[in-house]
Amino acid sequence: MISAAVLIPLLLEILKATPELVQDVENLVAAFKGKGSASGQLAPEVIADLAAGYAAFKAAKK
Amino acid sequence: MKSFLTVLASFAVFFALGIAGVAFGASLAGCSAAPPPAAQVARATAHAAVDIAKDAWVTVYDVAEQEKADGKEKIVPAMADDMILAHDLIIDAATAVDTNWSTEAGCTLLQATQLIAKSATLSSKLSVGGQAVVKDAADMAQNLLGGANCPGAGDAGKEAGK
């Protein structure tokens, strides 16, 4: 059996950390959901990602 | 007394963990909601297909740059026509995702992936993973069309060579 002397400080730490823990979990879930979000525009992102290669191929044609 | 405190502490630990669990469950509540409308699913699928086509394009560009660095300098100019056209087609498809996806946009994306695949054949250094990205992009674009026919399908190379 775990003694109260060990458990109570541990408990107090958990209770102190709980709001942060909850916030961390919420942040994590929000980030996860946002990753596959269908909001936002795709074209600007695609243009940016292809820009360097596009410039290189354009330059190679000259 | 000691035993009482232990029981009390155990209860409080479970309580604290329960709060975290409820918060996590509430955050995930959207996962168990009703499925999204078909239009949103179609947009999400098109988004993914354009994204992987973009990845395939970048993969082929990267390998061309590697070959160029290794002395095979003609590979970038050799790919240029097809890759420039594929670039423009991918952006057209991405714009269609943002505005109004259609079968025509699907054909545009398919043509882009065919051009990328054609360019990829010029490189001998494309990794197995890179080849998979190129193939997946083409397969996904094809699948997105759901069997619909595209005018001039398979002629992408001929168009680009003009």
Side-chain angles (χ1 to χ4, degrees), chain A residues 5 7-8 20 24 27-29 33 37-38 45 55 57 59:
Chain A
L7 204 52
I8 288 174
E20 290 172 21
D24 285 349
N27 290 345
L28 189 65
V29 171
K33 283 182 176 175
S37 171
E45 185 187 316
F57 283 122

Side-chain angles (χ1 to χ4, degrees), chain B residues 17-153:
Chain B
L17 292 175
I19 291 170
V22 167
F24 186 70
S27 299
L28 289 176
C31 297
S32 59
Q40 287 182 25
V41 173
R43 185 197 180 281
T45 310
H47 182 155
V50 171
D51 226 23
I52 196 170
K54 178 198 72 178
D55 288 346
W57 194 97
V58 172
T59 300
V60 172
Y61 162 65
D62 285 345
V63 82
E65 285 293 321
Q66 285 171 24
E67 297 234 28
K68 183 182 168 188
D70 291 344
K72 201 173 171 184
E73 293 183 358
K74 289 183 179 173
I75 193 164
V76 176
M79 288 181 177
D81 283 335
D82 287 347
M83 290 294 278
I84 287 170
L85 181 54
H87 165 275
D88 296 345
L89 294 171
I90 290 170
I91 290 172
D92 286 349
T95 304
V97 169
D98 290 335
T99 53
N100 186 28
W101 186 259
S102 62
T103 301
E104 188 184 348
C107 291
T108 298
L109 187 63
L110 179 63
Q111 189 187 355
T113 61
Q114 289 169 341
L115 289 165
I116 295 165
K118 184 176 168 232
S119 293
T121 61
L122 299 178
S123 172
S124 56
K125 291 193 173 179
L126 192 60
S127 67
V128 173
Q131 290 169 25
V133 173
V134 171
K135 186 176 185 308
D136 286 348
D139 289 348
M140 198 156 178
Q142 185 73 61
N143 186 59
L144 199 58
L145 287 165
N149 289 322
C150 294

Side-chain angles (χ1 to χ4, degrees), chain A residues 17-29:
Chain A
T18 298
E20 290 172 21
L21 182 67
V22 170
Q23 189 60 53
D24 285 349
V25 170
E26 285 178 350
N27 290 345
L28 189 65
V29 171

